[in-house]
Amino acid sequence: WCQRIQNLITTMKFSLSVIVASLGAASAFAFNSGSSQAVAQSFRTTQKGAALTQPAFKNHFQTDDSSTALAATAAAASSDAIKTRGGGALSGIDVPLMFYFLFWYIGNYYYNITNKLALKAAGGSAGFPMTISALQLAVGAVYGIFLWLAPDAREKPTVTMDDIIKMLPVAFCFAGAHSASVFALSAGAVSFGQIVKAAEPAFAAVLSQFVYNKPVSKAKWACLPIIIGGVILASVKELDFAVSALVAACIANLFAAFKGNENKKLMETEGLKDRMGSVGNQFAITTILGFLISVPFVLLREGNKLGEFVTLFKTNPVISSNLIASGLWFYGYNELATMTLKKTGAVTQSVANTAKRVIVIVGVAIVLGESLDPIKMLGCSIGIGGVFLYSIIDQLLAKKKKA
């Protein structure tokens, strides 16, 4: 019991550290010098809305007149201060974007922990990784449908059957990338799986160049040996190394690279964005289709022992609670990541992705007691640094040419 309590305290301490680190990173990425007017306008709009709703509020709670007057005076003073100074405590910060970053990081961190706990309790790679990955998508699908049905939550998309058919390649790659990632994380350490997954640009470069006829610059090609070398170096000292984890993570990278290219083709479809309605709707439909595509593979690979899984799910709360939680975290952080990256530039995206990988790899390794060998962390640093360089090298060279 003492050991369990100590582990819980350690987890809570590090979770708090992750939240603080994520908040710091989020606030750094959310600074926007041109947003003070928007903040002031938003503040004034909020005050107007509060003034309009105040009578109804008073009818319900019998607010004291002196308190109301004091609140109104304070609000007016704050509004005047913003008008005078052009800002306030939040001047220059895109607050919604800051929270997008914050919960994207936290969601990714907790997904990796809850996912690993569910997989470990269910027997690891020899247990039910395909079933768990499919059910995680099912949880996300249910949540997405709930948002459509709940009043005033999210407007339903107006996609056609032709649109759905065109989305199938993206959904297939999405399901494949998720299933392979879950299997990789079930077969080895989460930190190792994340390091290998960081090498996705290498797969994307090869596919873009030779499959989709979209040439990759020589500068980006020069970054690939750095990425691959970092992954190899991290693998050398990985105590929990498994060939199956390495192969599965590489397959996940391949599916993710295909998904990125197929998604670009999909979004070129005339009128599709309007029929989707929002980024959230696109991800919800992709998740639903991904779950339906996963079902046959679950039956093929683990169908003969689904009865055993049902029993485990009913009797072992570690599996049931972490499976549901990981499904919600996965859906939430992916949707937030899409919304976040849509609002930022290329360099900010690269920095944000790099920071996210570092927080997840180090944080999860500490909480789950995985190895943090110096050679492994050196390889991790080289690989992630190579990914960051790959992401921004073309922009850096373009600026140098202009200068």
Side-chain angles (χ1 to χ4, degrees), residues 20-21 45 110 142 185 191 216 276 291 315 319 324 337 340 370 382:
V20 172
T45 302
Y110 278 108
V142 170
L185 300 181
S191 53
V216 176
M276 288 282 189
F291 165 66
T315 58
I319 296 175
I324 294 171
T340 303
E370 297 176 352
I382 293 172

Side-chain angles (χ1 to χ4, degrees), residues 156-176:
K156 299 181 186 70
T158 57
V159 292
T160 63
M161 183 55 68
D162 188 49
D163 293 333
I164 296 295
I165 292 173
K166 288 181 179 178
M167 291 183 71
L168 288 176
V170 174
F172 178 79
C173 294
F174 168 74

Side-chain angles (χ1 to χ4, degrees), residues 132-383:
I132 289 174
S133 69
L135 289 177
Q136 286 170 346
L137 296 184
V139 170
V142 170
Y143 180 71
I145 293 170
F146 166 76
L147 291 180
W148 289 334
L149 297 178
D152 301 323
R154 179 176 288 170
E155 189 175 346
K156 299 181 186 70
T158 57
V159 292
T160 63
M161 183 55 68
D162 188 49
D163 293 333
I164 296 295
I165 292 173
K166 288 181 179 178
M167 291 183 71
L168 288 176
V170 174
F172 178 79
C173 294
F174 168 74
H178 179 60
S179 298
S181 295
V182 170
F183 185 84
L185 300 181
S186 72
V190 173
S191 53
F192 176 67
Q194 291 293 339
I195 292 170
V196 178
K197 285 179 66 182
E200 182 188 327
F203 295 81
V206 172
L207 288 178
S208 296
Q209 183 81 40
F210 300 108
V211 178
Y212 291 93
N213 295 319
K214 294 180 180 177
V216 176
S217 67
K218 292 181 180 179
K220 285 193 171 184
W221 280 111
C223 294
L224 295 185
I226 302 174
I227 300 172
I228 296 170
V231 172
I232 292 173
L233 188 61
S235 303
V236 170
K237 284 292 184 177
E238 174 54 55
L239 299 179
D240 197 16
F241 179 80
V243 175
S244 56
L246 177 64
V247 172
C250 289
I251 293 173
N253 284 341
L254 188 62
F255 273 118
F258 268 115
K259 174 180 168 286
N261 284 284
E262 288 297 326
N263 194 58
K264 288 178 184 176
K265 286 172 58 180
L266 174 68
M267 297 317 292
E268 293 172 0
T269 305
E270 187 177 352
L272 181 61
K273 287 184 180 179
D274 295 331
R275 293 191 292 274
M276 288 282 189
S278 68
V279 172
N281 282 343
Q282 181 185 354
F283 187 69
I285 295 172
T286 304
T287 301
I288 293 169
L289 293 176
F291 165 66
L292 295 175
I293 290 170
S294 299
V295 171
F297 293 95
V298 172
L299 297 175
L300 184 65
R301 176 167 165 65
E302 298 167 5
N304 61 333
K305 52 181 183 177
L306 283 180
E308 181 185 347
F309 177 80
V310 171
T311 302
L312 285 172
F313 186 85
K314 289 180 179 179
T315 58
N316 191 338
V318 176
I319 296 175
S320 55
S321 60
N322 283 293
L323 192 157
I324 294 171
S326 62
L328 290 172
W329 284 120
F330 178 78
Y331 184 93
Y333 95 74
N334 271 287
E335 186 170 317
L336 279 170
T338 305
M339 295 165 69
T340 303
L341 299 180
K342 195 175 181 182
K343 292 188 66 174
T344 57
V347 175
T348 304
Q349 291 176 18
S350 304
V351 177
N353 272 309
T354 303
K356 183 249 323 180
R357 287 190 180 102
V358 172
I359 289 173
V360 170
I361 289 171
V362 177
V364 173
I366 292 174
V367 170
L368 296 179
E370 297 176 352
S371 67
L372 285 172
D373 186 272
I375 297 297
K376 175 182 175 180
M377 296 314 297
L378 176 62
C380 172
S381 302
I382 293 172

Side-chain angles (χ1 to χ4, degrees), residues 46-99:
T46 303
Q47 298 305 323
K48 290 179 182 178
L52 289 173
T53 58
Q54 193 172 343
F57 182 86
K58 186 173 179 181
N59 287 338
H60 284 290
F61 295 98
Q62 297 296 318
T63 306
D64 181 71
D65 288 338
S66 61
S67 300
T68 305
L70 182 61
T73 303
S78 299
S79 183
D80 288 341
I82 289 178
K83 289 178 184 177
T84 303
R85 295 192 300 269
L90 298 178
S91 175
I93 300 178
D94 186 336
V95 178
L97 181 60
M98 183 180 73
F99 281 105

